[in-house]
Amino acid sequence: VTTKTHVNGLKFVEINTDLCFATIYLQGAQIDQFQPKGQQPLLWVSSADDYQPGNGIRGGIPICWPWFGQSQVEGFPQHGFARTTTWDLVSVKMVNQVAFVTMELNVKPEHRNFWPHETKLQVVFELGSKLKVSLTNTNLTDYPVSLTQALHTYFPTSDIHNTYVSGLAESQYIEFAKGPYAQNDDLVEFTRETDRVYTNLGAAQVITTPEGCIVVERENSQSAVLWNPWIDKSQRLSRFNDNDYLSMLCLEATNVLEDQVTLAAGASHTLTTTIYWQT
Ligand code: TA6
């Protein structure tokens, strides 16, 4: 495990063990690559991203915090400010070939107007043949604090037209601010822009692609976002090629809408997602 600097100045941790290869950027504590040894990569990144400081990387797992989506407040950045802020590297440990990388976000004075609360945000990456990401909020104030958040995971596929998501049935979803709609079919396919917030959702979904089946598990999350920008939105997105929609999808572990996190004084909450190739 080594710490390196990208040509554009962004610092990252590189993990190269018998079990996996991964890179995690200190900006946003954003993992952009994870590949179990002997298997295909589990994360997707756009080739249009030039890793400029100040943006979130278009791929991997952006951490959306302390709000998901558009902020209610004019001028506040979409998906919060954690992903464009440099986190502190707390520790790197190896336990039986599994790497544990811990980073913390210490809210900076310039963020105080976005987030005037004393809270601690820590992420632990467990990197083995599976990737487990645990995001812990601790409320250091003496009053309740609420927030929404997402582990905004980008997954790869060689063909979106032969990619299906199962494990969404029996839940309902909101899309384009309409709904809720019942999710009756267990297999969801992609034929147009898809931007759904599922609620009351089971703890595991499976993404079937031509490369194999990716298992996506969530803990302490009853909601998830399923997103593919499709043709028109792909042309409007920053750091995204027009045809990138053909080779990616997002299935995000979230705490949004009625699933938002409300922390009593002194309380903690850990959102976890675990992803791996089903064998
Ligand atoms: O998670 C889906 C979404 O909210 C989409 O609506 C789209 O905006 C996407 O996130 C990417 O947002 P970003 O700010 O990273 O361009």
Side-chain angles (χ1 to χ4, degrees), residues 56-59 62 64 68-70 77-80 83 150 152-154 176 193-197 225-229 233 236-240 250 252 254:
I57 297 167
R58 178 68 70 195
C64 304
F68 175 82
Q70 300 284 353
Q78 169 156 285
H79 291 331
R83 63 176 175 169
H152 192 297
T153 311
Y154 286 76
F176 309 128
E193 182 180 355
T194 304
D195 197 347
R196 301 178 177 180
V197 183
V225 169
L226 181 65
W227 178 55
N228 184 290
K233 182 147 188 184
R236 300 196 304 271
L237 277 173
S238 59
R239 292 167 285 112
F240 198 83
C250 285
E252 308 159 32
T254 60

Side-chain angles (χ1 to χ4, degrees), residues 58-130:
R58 178 68 70 195
I61 308 182
I63 296 176
C64 304
W65 184 92
W67 61 81
F68 175 82
Q70 300 284 353
S71 160
Q72 290 82 353
V73 181
E74 188 55 37
F76 279 20
Q78 169 156 285
H79 291 331
F81 59 86
R83 63 176 175 169
T84 51
T85 302
T86 299
W87 294 45
D88 296 323
L89 177 60
V90 172
S91 66
V92 178
K93 292 193 178 77
M94 291 299 296
V95 179
N96 303 329
Q97 297 185 319
V98 176
F100 290 80
V101 176
T102 300
M103 296 183 182
E104 275 181 3
L105 174 63
N106 292 300
V107 176
K108 310 281 191 297
E110 65 263 26
H111 298 131
R112 283 283 165 234
N113 60 324
F114 293 149
W115 191 247
H117 311 299
E118 282 307 313
T119 56
K120 179 177 171 192
L121 184 62
Q122 183 181 81
V123 64
V124 177
F125 297 92
E126 184 176 334
L127 305 122
S129 52
K130 299 180 178 182

Side-chain angles (χ1 to χ4, degrees), residues 4 16 53-54 68 76 80 110 114 123 144 199 214 228 263 265 268 276:
K4 296 186 170 182
N16 193 353
F68 175 82
F76 279 20
E110 65 263 26
F114 293 149
V123 64
T199 51
I214 301 172
N228 184 290
L263 287 173
S268 286
Y276 54 95

